[in-house]
Every structure is written in structure tokens, then in C-alpha cells.
Amino acid sequence: MAELKATNRPGVKPQERAATGPATSCGNEADPDACAPKARRVFCFSCLALFALTLFAFWPSIHNDFFFWYGDDPLYVTENSHVNTGLTWENIAWAFRSTDHSNWHPLTWMSHMIDCNLYGLQPAGHHLTNVLLHAMNGVLLFVLLRGLTHAAWRSFAVALFFAVHPLRVESVAWVAERKDVLSVFFLFLTLLMYSRYVREARMPNPKPYRFYALALIFYVCGLMSKATLVTVPCILVLLDYWPLQRSEQTPLWKRIVTKWPFFLFAIATSAITYFAQNHWGFVKALSSYSFSARLENAVVSYVRYLGHLVWPVHLASWYPLPHQWPWFIVAGSVLMVVLISLAVFLSRKRWPFLCIGWFWYLGTLVPMIGVVQVGEQALADRFTYIPVIGLLICVVWGSAELFKRWRHGLLVAAVTGLMVFVPCLVLTREYISEFKDSLTIWRHNMELTGKHGLAQYAYALSLDHQGHPQEAIRELEDIVEVKPDWAEARANLAGILDQQGRRFEALMHYRQAVKLQPDNAETHLHLATLLQETGELEDAISHYHLVLQADAAYAKQRRKIDLSASDTNSAVAALREFREAIRFRPDYCRAHNELGIALGRLGRFGEGISHFEEALIDNPNYV
């Protein structure tokens, strides 16, 4: 099927119209389909096809579980009392003031709350929301590109490969990555409204500012879903050049002024996010990973992402961060990025889409490329959710320019596209199966990247969560043998050993963990509890005091009591403490148990029995 004919827009040169792509010949720029019923039918069918193909590609994720270890699902949903209790005014207020887990994204929190209202804690519903949002994103990208360029089939191809590519799996099949699909939903709405603003400004009686206001509102909503949309003002600058061609029709000062509100919101969001991630310890210090090493990994990652786009096999959820890349890999990556950048810049007059697409890719990856290192991964495929759009524009528009020179170019383009689409679809569905649960994903990760620290650690905790404690103990013992200074691994090993009745070994590892990380309140608390149960009351009391010193708020929410006291005054004080703990966490079985003991000391046996029953309801195996 041939492309729709080009619109003779004022101020657009013939070579620019060719680069933009064929368009409808309708005479109505605001609505190219107003006098083309056939084009409208094709447009509607294309949207439905995109939505259906995306649903088909990602439907297997509906059957996946939450990810319990280093998947963030417990932090975001299952164990977050502000979220799993649903959408309430109290929880909404928390969402707007919270920077929990290193981010400020109130709309993302609220979307999870709505899911909890709709589905409870059944993972299928939460996965379904991600799939539906991603499918809508595919449709919105098609609508956006078609409206900007009037190149219907090129736009469809970009949207289709964006929607079904295996690189999308991590963002869609992982519930905690709701922030990806939700933020991009608002991104596309922002760009749609901005393009309408530009088109309206060119009309005889322009009234464009309602669309500008909507673009700004959607942009703020996107920032409140995920902070990586801070690069959107730069995307608007690129779109002004191509395909909107505002540089020839709009004064420079006006183009700058219209971007300032976007830049101001981006700067404010960047500051909040950096503060939150630094507060939660996610920003790696320069001493632990030098700035030069970060730059090396960043430029290598730009090239590695290109490889993942072209050959999306052996994808992993976690890529270990190397201490240092070999010099020849760094040099080759720098040379490749520089040469491509130079080539697309020199071709900007003839093929502006190459320049825009390539710099879209480079620019939108900046917040995640690792110059400011957040976390310990070298790269993550979910980071390409926005950047890959620029690369797909380069590939699809570039291929169209190439194929149109051939006699049967359209047929060759269709066959080539089908030959690429089918493997992408198959690989995506296969990769989704690796996200079945925490154990499966981390086993798959270790098969690809080896038993590096974090993957093996998450695998060990997943083994314990799924009822394989002995295997988990063996994996954690391997970890602490290789990395004896890993306090968190030792503490979790101690916890599993304690559950298996190996208390002497548990005590040893807990003591090592608190030496390595003396300000960790939770580890001190577990050690104090174990010491109390083994009769070492003096040591237990000292560690409870250390809990208070390390984190008074944490201690208040759990338990703090002078264990050696047995008089009435101490029992009354204990009542207050344990009731406070239960107020913060109603299902805290240990607090119910201790409250029952304190009530028994005061002779209030009926109330005490009721709290023992609550403890058993929360944990029937609580001896």
C-alpha cells in the first residue's frame, strides 16, 4: 500500500517534505483525515492492530508472580502499607510527601493504590495494568508520529517495533516498573499537545495556548510518575527542528520562552530526585567508583544498548558493573559514538530524521547512563524505554529512504519488516517466561552473567522465600566466603540459620554483621531478639539500646523494653510500647505475643489471651 501524499505546508522545502515522509493530501493540517474516510478507516485499523499485537506479545506476563527479592515489588506494593491499603486521602497525602525507595513519584504510588483497590494483592491484575498501559503507549506513539510527519506506515513500523521489542519486557513484566509505562503515557500526551500547540499557532486565527497548558500539565504528571522525563524539554527542541520545522517560521526568542516552564519543572524534579536517592544511599560515592570509570562505562553502555536493540538475545535483568573496562573497548566505543554523531550531523540537511533520532537516543539516556551512578548495575534494558524511539526513527525512516530507490522497494520493505517483527515477537514472549517469579529470573540471570554477588544473593533469598532454606544457606555461605565483609548477606544468612534451629551459627553471623554495619538497627534488633530467646539477657539489652541509638524511629515501630524488669511499672510501660508497635503494624505477631505477656503480668489474662490468638492468626507456626 502506498504512503499517503504529502501536504504542502508553508515554509517546508521540497527536500524536507521528502525527508518527513509522504502525507495525506487533505488541505486541513489540523486534521489530515477530515476529508479522507478511507484514511480514517486505515488509521483506526492500525491503532487496533497495534493494541492487539502488543497485548498478544505481553499477555504471558499476566500469569507471572510478584518479584520478592531485588524486584522492588514488596517495597512498592505487597509490603507497603500505604499502598496495599488502597487509595485513601491519607495514602494520597503520603504519596505526595514521600521519597521512599529513592524516588518522588506520587502518581506512580497512586496507580499502585488503585490496583490494590481493584485487584487486592493478586499479581495478575497488577501485571494487566502494566500491559494495558504499554499497549496504549504503542498506539499513542503511532498517533504522535503520524500527526507530526504524516508518514503513516513509517510511524506504524516505529510504534510496532517499539511495542513488541524484547527490550520492553523488563519495563512491562515487572510490576515495580509501573513508573516506566505510566511516565511514557504522559510523555506521549505531552508531545501530542505540544504538536497541536505548534499547528494551532500556524492557523489563521490561532488559539494555541490551551494546548500549551495541557502539554505542561501532562508533563508535570509525567514527572510525578518518573523523574527521567527531565529530558523532555530537549526532545521539544529536537522536534522544533524536525519534523515541526519551527526554526524557519518562529523567532528564536519565542522558541526559548516556550521551553522555560518545562526546563524549570525538570530542574526542580532533578534536585528532588538526587536528594532522595542520595538520602537512601543509592548514589555511589566517587571513592567507590571513580568519575573516569563512570564515563568509560557510560560510553560503552551507549554501544551495548545498540547491540541489544539489533540482537536482543541473552538479555538479563542485572548486568554487573565491571571495575574497569579494557582500554580498547572504551576507545572503540568512543570512536563509534563520535563517528555516528558526526555523520548524522553532517547529513542533517538531507536526512534530518537521522540527526534527530540519534540525538534523541543520546540525550534521553543521560539520566540513566551512569555518570551519576545510581545502584550497582552497568546498564539496564528498562532504561531504553524512551531512548530506543530515536533509534527506531533512524532505522525506519532511513530504510524507507533506501527502499524507495528500488523498483520493488515497498515489497522488500514489507518482507524485511515481517522478517524482523516475527523473531522480536517470539523472543519477547520467551523472555517474559523468565520473569515468572524471583527464583526463575535470578537463575536465568546467573546463567547469563555468572554468580556475581547481587544475582547470587537475590537467588539465595528467592530460594528461601520459595521454601528451599538449605539451598539458600549454601548460596549465602558461598557469598560470605567470597565477600566476608558483606553485612547484609551475613544478616540474612543468620536469619535463615535461626529459622532452621542453628542458633549458634546464627549468632555468630549476626555478631559479624553488626560489626561490619554497626548503624543497622534491624540487624541489632534481630540479634537482640535471638539473644533474648537464648537467655543472654544482658547482651540482648545492650543491643536493644544500640537499636535506639541507630534508629529511634525504627525501634519505636518495633519493640523496645527493659527485658530484665518484671515489676508492674515496667509492665505498664511495656503495654504502651507494644501497643504503639501494633498501631504501626497490626500484623506484627511478636508484638502481639509480648503484649500478651505484659498483660498477663498485670493479671489481665483475657486480654492477654486475645493477643496470643492474634499472634497465631498472623503466624500459625509461631511457637
Side-chain angles (χ1 to χ4, degrees):
M1 184 179 292
E3 292 274 9
L4 302 173
K5 294 182 180 179
T7 301
N8 293 320
R9 288 180 286 169
V12 181
K13 297 177 182 179
Q15 65 268 29
E16 289 172 336
R17 286 197 296 272
T20 301
T24 55
S25 179
C26 192
N28 186 344
E29 190 180 53
D31 184 7
D33 294 332
C35 57
K38 182 179 178 181
R40 281 202 302 274
R41 289 195 296 271
V42 171
F43 170 74
C44 293
F45 175 79
S46 300
C47 291
L48 289 173
L50 261 173
F51 194 85
L53 287 169
T54 308
L55 281 184
F56 176 74
F58 286 91
W59 194 256
S61 68
I62 304 300
H63 307 293
N64 292 349
D65 199 356
F66 290 115
F67 302 148
F68 286 94
W69 299 113
Y70 276 88
D72 288 345
D73 288 356
L75 303 177
Y76 275 76
V77 182
T78 59
E79 295 179 9
N80 190 322
S81 61
H82 296 288
V83 173
N84 58 35
T85 52
L87 193 68
T88 65
W89 288 114
E90 182 181 356
N91 290 342
I92 291 171
W94 170 84
F96 276 92
R97 66 173 182 266
S98 172
T99 57
D100 283 14
H101 316 306
S102 78
N103 286 294
W104 182 75
H105 41 39
L107 292 190
T108 296
W109 289 125
M110 291 164 63
S111 76
H112 287 302
M113 293 173 193
I114 293 170
D115 275 3
C116 289
N117 282 128
L118 294 173
Y119 317 117
L121 293 180
Q122 296 299 317
H126 296 261
H127 284 296
L128 176 62
T129 300
N130 274 18
V131 173
L132 291 175
L133 279 170
H134 179 61
M136 286 190 286
N137 287 346
V139 174
L140 283 175
L141 178 58
F142 167 62
V143 174
L144 172 67
L145 290 177
R146 181 180 175 277
L148 286 169
T149 67
H150 305 303
W153 297 109
R154 299 184 194 190
S155 302
F156 182 83
V158 170
L160 181 63
F161 287 114
F162 163 81
V164 303
H165 197 280
L167 285 177
R168 303 286 74 76
V169 169
E170 195 172 335
S171 294
V172 181
W174 182 355
V175 169
E177 284 307 307
R178 170 71 53 77
K179 50 186 178 282
D180 276 356
V181 292
L182 184 62
S183 64
V184 171
F185 175 77
F186 287 115
L187 165 66
F188 290 153
L189 291 178
T190 300
L191 299 184
L192 276 167
M193 292 302 102
Y194 181 77
S195 65
R196 283 298 303 271
Y197 157 72
V198 173
R199 289 203 303 268
E200 285 288 324
R202 293 170 175 168
M203 302 300 285
N205 298 305
K207 295 181 180 179
Y209 291 104
R210 62 185 184 275
F211 296 110
Y212 182 84
L214 284 172
L216 202 56
I217 290 169
F218 285 133
Y219 179 52
V220 172
C221 290
L223 290 173
M224 291 193 294
S225 303
K226 189 176 183 180
T228 51
L229 293 196
V230 293
T231 57
V232 165
C234 300
I235 294 177
L236 299 181
V237 172
L238 292 175
L239 295 181
D240 278 354
Y241 180 75
W242 183 88
L244 294 173
Q245 285 108 13
R246 291 190 77 202
S247 56
E248 295 184 0
Q249 302 174 18
T250 308
L252 178 62
W253 69 267
K254 189 171 183 179
R255 283 181 278 137
I256 293 173
V257 167
T258 56
K259 307 299 184 300
W260 265 113
F262 293 90
F263 276 110
L264 288 175
F265 281 117
I267 292 167
T269 304
S270 299
I272 294 171
T273 302
Y274 182 83
F275 168 79
Q277 294 184 335
N278 196 45
H279 173 74
W280 283 85
F282 283 87
V283 179
K284 301 288 287 182
L286 283 172
S287 58
S288 61
Y289 202 58
S290 69
F291 186 70
S292 61
R294 300 177 195 208
L295 286 177
E296 290 174 2
N297 182 68
V299 72
V300 171
S301 295
Y302 272 117
V303 177
R304 292 179 73 187
Y305 283 129
L306 291 176
H308 291 184
L309 175 67
V310 175
W311 192 250
V313 296
H314 305 309
L315 301 179
S317 56
W318 187 272
Y319 299 94
L321 187 64
H323 180 68
Q324 187 174 18
W325 284 103
W327 69 268
F328 56 90
I329 291 180
V330 176
S333 300
V334 171
L335 183 63
M336 184 174 181
V337 171
V338 169
L339 288 179
I340 294 176
S341 301
L342 183 61
V344 300
F345 180 76
L346 293 176
S347 66
R348 68 190 184 281
K349 296 293 186 182
R350 186 176 182 185
W351 299 309
F353 52 83
L354 292 178
C355 187
I356 298 309
W358 176 249
F359 287 110
W360 174 308
Y361 168 66
L362 293 183
T364 55
L365 255 179
V366 167
M368 298 86 71
I369 202 61
V371 176
V372 177
Q373 186 66 33
V374 178
E376 299 177 359
Q377 72 283 342
L379 71 165
D381 293 327
R382 62 185 179 276
F383 293 164
T384 65
Y385 199 88
I386 298 172
V388 79
I389 297 169
L391 293 177
L392 290 172
I393 289 172
C394 291
V395 172
V396 171
W397 257 261
S399 299
E401 290 297 312
L402 175 65
F403 289 135
K404 76 178 185 181
R405 302 171 187 272
W406 298 358
R407 183 178 179 183
H408 301 291
L410 186 60
L411 178 62
V412 174
V415 172
T416 303
L418 188 63
M419 290 174 64
V420 176
F421 166 72
V422 173
C424 277
L425 184 64
V426 172
L427 287 170
T428 293
R429 289 177 64 89
E430 287 182 356
Y431 190 28
I432 288 172
S433 66
E434 301 295 346
F435 282 73
K436 178 183 177 182
D437 52 40
S438 302
L439 192 60
T440 306
I441 191 61
W442 290 113
R443 184 190 294 119
H444 170 74
N445 207 107
M446 287 198 300
E447 289 172 358
L448 296 177
T449 64
K451 282 192 173 185
H452 61 83
L454 183 108
Q456 188 179 8
Y457 176 62
Y459 177 63
L461 298 184
S462 301
L463 283 168
D464 179 58
H465 181 262
Q466 296 198 10
H468 307 285
Q470 298 304 326
E471 295 177 50
I473 288 171
R474 285 196 294 271
E475 295 290 343
L476 287 169
E477 286 176 340
D478 287 345
I479 291 172
V480 299
E481 184 177 350
V482 176
K483 297 184 69 175
D485 59 344
W486 192 346
E488 189 178 5
R490 281 193 179 275
N492 278 285
L493 174 58
I496 300 173
L497 288 168
D498 183 24
Q499 293 170 7
Q500 298 303 302
R502 297 162 63 175
R503 290 188 166 182
F504 176 78
E505 296 171 80
L507 281 172
M508 180 187 70
H509 285 291
Y510 271 137
R511 291 185 190 276
Q512 287 291 327
V514 297
K515 285 181 181 177
L516 293 167
Q517 204 173 33
D519 59 345
N520 190 309
E522 187 172 5
T523 306
H524 279 294
L525 181 59
H526 288 309
L527 175 56
T529 303
L530 184 55
L531 288 167
Q532 174 195 354
E533 292 171 353
T534 56
E536 301 180 49
L537 297 182
E538 289 187 9
D539 281 351
I541 292 170
S542 68
H543 281 284
Y544 279 122
H545 286 304
L546 289 171
V547 172
L548 288 172
Q549 294 173 16
D551 191 340
Y554 179 90
K556 184 177 181 180
Q557 293 178 33
R558 303 301 192 266
R559 66 188 213 141
K560 51 183 190 283
I561 183 174
D562 185 352
L563 297 173
S564 63
S566 59
D567 57 24
T568 301
N569 289 334
S570 295
V572 172
L575 287 181
R576 289 196 301 269
E577 299 295 347
F578 291 126
R579 289 191 193 280
E580 183 73 359
I582 291 169
R583 186 175 74 83
F584 278 100
R585 184 177 164 187
D587 63 345
Y588 188 24
C589 60
R590 188 182 294 278
H592 280 293
N593 182 69
E594 298 294 348
L595 182 55
I597 293 172
L599 287 165
R601 288 178 183 172
L602 295 173
R604 295 156 64 176
F605 300 114
E607 291 182 67
I609 288 170
S610 69
H611 282 284
F612 288 133
E613 290 172 341
E614 285 289 335
L616 289 172
I617 290 172
D618 296 330
N619 184 357
N621 299 317
Y622 189 45
V623 178

PDB file of all heavy atoms in Angstrom, residues 29 105 118 155 230 256 386 423 500 521 531 546 569:
ATOM      1  N   GLU A  29      -4.460  20.855   7.791  1.00  0.00           N
ATOM      2  CA  GLU A  29      -3.299  20.402   8.542  1.00  0.00           C
ATOM      3  C   GLU A  29      -3.666  19.985   9.947  1.00  0.00           C
ATOM      4  O   GLU A  29      -3.075  19.080  10.524  1.00  0.00           O
ATOM      5  CB  GLU A  29      -2.249  21.523   8.596  1.00  0.00           C
ATOM      6  CG  GLU A  29      -0.919  21.061   9.155  1.00  0.00           C
ATOM      7  CD  GLU A  29       0.085  22.190   9.182  1.00  0.00           C
ATOM      8  OE1 GLU A  29      -0.230  23.243   9.742  1.00  0.00           O
ATOM      9  OE2 GLU A  29       1.176  22.015   8.642  1.00  0.00           O
ATOM     10  N   HIS A 105       7.561  10.011  43.205  1.00  0.00           N
ATOM     11  CA  HIS A 105       6.656   9.770  42.079  1.00  0.00           C
ATOM     12  C   HIS A 105       5.252   9.470  42.601  1.00  0.00           C
ATOM     13  O   HIS A 105       4.792   8.321  42.581  1.00  0.00           O
ATOM     14  CB  HIS A 105       7.152   8.645  41.174  1.00  0.00           C
ATOM     15  CG  HIS A 105       7.729   7.465  41.895  1.00  0.00           C
ATOM     16  ND1 HIS A 105       7.204   6.966  43.069  1.00  0.00           N
ATOM     17  CD2 HIS A 105       8.785   6.686  41.606  1.00  0.00           C
ATOM     18  CE1 HIS A 105       7.908   5.924  43.451  1.00  0.00           C
ATOM     19  NE2 HIS A 105       8.880   5.739  42.591  1.00  0.00           N
ATOM     20  N   LEU A 118      -8.594  -2.455  43.134  1.00  0.00           N
ATOM     21  CA  LEU A 118      -9.257  -3.261  42.108  1.00  0.00           C
ATOM     22  C   LEU A 118      -8.976  -4.748  42.251  1.00  0.00           C
ATOM     23  O   LEU A 118      -9.871  -5.583  42.101  1.00  0.00           O
ATOM     24  CB  LEU A 118      -8.818  -2.793  40.716  1.00  0.00           C
ATOM     25  CG  LEU A 118      -9.238  -1.385  40.282  1.00  0.00           C
ATOM     26  CD1 LEU A 118      -8.594  -1.029  38.964  1.00  0.00           C
ATOM     27  CD2 LEU A 118     -10.757  -1.297  40.182  1.00  0.00           C
ATOM     28  N   SER A 155       5.421   5.544  10.629  1.00  0.00           N
ATOM     29  CA  SER A 155       5.028   5.727  12.031  1.00  0.00           C
ATOM     30  C   SER A 155       4.534   4.422  12.629  1.00  0.00           C
ATOM     31  O   SER A 155       4.836   4.091  13.789  1.00  0.00           O
ATOM     32  CB  SER A 155       3.935   6.793  12.134  1.00  0.00           C
ATOM     33  OG  SER A 155       4.374   8.023  11.598  1.00  0.00           O
ATOM     34  N   VAL A 230      12.927  14.359  32.751  1.00  0.00           N
ATOM     35  CA  VAL A 230      13.594  15.663  32.793  1.00  0.00           C
ATOM     36  C   VAL A 230      14.197  16.037  31.444  1.00  0.00           C
ATOM     37  O   VAL A 230      14.486  17.211  31.195  1.00  0.00           O
ATOM     38  CB  VAL A 230      14.686  15.701  33.885  1.00  0.00           C
ATOM     39  CG1 VAL A 230      14.065  15.616  35.279  1.00  0.00           C
ATOM     40  CG2 VAL A 230      15.726  14.604  33.672  1.00  0.00           C
ATOM     41  N   ILE A 256      12.545  29.757  22.712  1.00  0.00           N
ATOM     42  CA  ILE A 256      13.213  29.618  24.012  1.00  0.00           C
ATOM     43  C   ILE A 256      12.223  29.836  25.151  1.00  0.00           C
ATOM     44  O   ILE A 256      12.168  29.067  26.118  1.00  0.00           O
ATOM     45  CB  ILE A 256      14.389  30.600  24.122  1.00  0.00           C
ATOM     46  CG1 ILE A 256      15.492  30.205  23.125  1.00  0.00           C
ATOM     47  CG2 ILE A 256      14.934  30.634  25.546  1.00  0.00           C
ATOM     48  CD1 ILE A 256      16.615  31.210  23.052  1.00  0.00           C
ATOM     49  N   ILE A 386      12.432   4.977  26.614  1.00  0.00           N
ATOM     50  CA  ILE A 386      12.276   6.198  25.818  1.00  0.00           C
ATOM     51  C   ILE A 386      13.375   6.330  24.752  1.00  0.00           C
ATOM     52  O   ILE A 386      13.071   6.613  23.587  1.00  0.00           O
ATOM     53  CB  ILE A 386      12.261   7.448  26.725  1.00  0.00           C
ATOM     54  CG1 ILE A 386      11.074   7.396  27.686  1.00  0.00           C
ATOM     55  CG2 ILE A 386      12.196   8.729  25.899  1.00  0.00           C
ATOM     56  CD1 ILE A 386      11.080   8.482  28.751  1.00  0.00           C
ATOM     57  N   PRO A 423      10.578 -12.633  14.690  1.00  0.00           N
ATOM     58  CA  PRO A 423      11.531 -13.026  15.743  1.00  0.00           C
ATOM     59  C   PRO A 423      11.427 -12.166  17.000  1.00  0.00           C
ATOM     60  O   PRO A 423      11.570 -12.678  18.113  1.00  0.00           O
ATOM     61  CB  PRO A 423      12.901 -12.847  15.068  1.00  0.00           C
ATOM     62  CG  PRO A 423      12.622 -12.944  13.615  1.00  0.00           C
ATOM     63  CD  PRO A 423      11.276 -12.350  13.426  1.00  0.00           C
ATOM     64  N   GLN A 500      16.135 -22.361  60.941  1.00  0.00           N
ATOM     65  CA  GLN A 500      16.423 -23.792  60.870  1.00  0.00           C
ATOM     66  C   GLN A 500      16.904 -24.362  62.199  1.00  0.00           C
ATOM     67  O   GLN A 500      17.325 -25.523  62.256  1.00  0.00           O
ATOM     68  CB  GLN A 500      17.464 -24.052  59.778  1.00  0.00           C
ATOM     69  CG  GLN A 500      17.021 -23.657  58.379  1.00  0.00           C
ATOM     70  CD  GLN A 500      15.740 -24.359  57.970  1.00  0.00           C
ATOM     71  OE1 GLN A 500      15.682 -25.588  57.950  1.00  0.00           O
ATOM     72  NE2 GLN A 500      14.709 -23.580  57.654  1.00  0.00           N
ATOM     73  N   ALA A 521      19.938  -0.771  62.410  1.00  0.00           N
ATOM     74  CA  ALA A 521      19.025  -1.027  63.526  1.00  0.00           C
ATOM     75  C   ALA A 521      18.378  -2.399  63.417  1.00  0.00           C
ATOM     76  O   ALA A 521      18.198  -3.095  64.425  1.00  0.00           O
ATOM     77  CB  ALA A 521      17.956   0.069  63.565  1.00  0.00           C
ATOM     78  N   LEU A 531      19.298 -13.234  71.143  1.00  0.00           N
ATOM     79  CA  LEU A 531      19.972 -13.303  72.442  1.00  0.00           C
ATOM     80  C   LEU A 531      18.963 -13.451  73.568  1.00  0.00           C
ATOM     81  O   LEU A 531      19.182 -14.200  74.534  1.00  0.00           O
ATOM     82  CB  LEU A 531      20.819 -12.048  72.644  1.00  0.00           C
ATOM     83  CG  LEU A 531      22.095 -11.946  71.805  1.00  0.00           C
ATOM     84  CD1 LEU A 531      22.657 -10.533  71.862  1.00  0.00           C
ATOM     85  CD2 LEU A 531      23.142 -12.957  72.280  1.00  0.00           C
ATOM     86  N   LEU A 546      21.394  -0.272  71.424  1.00  0.00           N
ATOM     87  CA  LEU A 546      22.044   0.084  70.159  1.00  0.00           C
ATOM     88  C   LEU A 546      21.013   0.298  69.053  1.00  0.00           C
ATOM     89  O   LEU A 546      21.220   1.108  68.151  1.00  0.00           O
ATOM     90  CB  LEU A 546      23.046  -1.003  69.761  1.00  0.00           C
ATOM     91  CG  LEU A 546      24.306  -1.072  70.614  1.00  0.00           C
ATOM     92  CD1 LEU A 546      25.119  -2.319  70.267  1.00  0.00           C
ATOM     93  CD2 LEU A 546      25.163   0.176  70.410  1.00  0.00           C
ATOM     94  N   ASN A 569       5.340  -1.459  87.081  1.00  0.00           N
ATOM     95  CA  ASN A 569       5.625  -0.236  86.324  1.00  0.00           C
ATOM     96  C   ASN A 569       6.209  -0.570  84.957  1.00  0.00           C
ATOM     97  O   ASN A 569       5.854   0.034  83.946  1.00  0.00           O
ATOM     98  CB  ASN A 569       6.584   0.660  87.106  1.00  0.00           C
ATOM     99  CG  ASN A 569       5.916   1.277  88.324  1.00  0.00           C
ATOM    100  OD1 ASN A 569       4.697   1.446  88.348  1.00  0.00           O
ATOM    101  ND2 ASN A 569       6.717   1.615  89.335  1.00  0.00           N
TER     102      ASN A 569
END
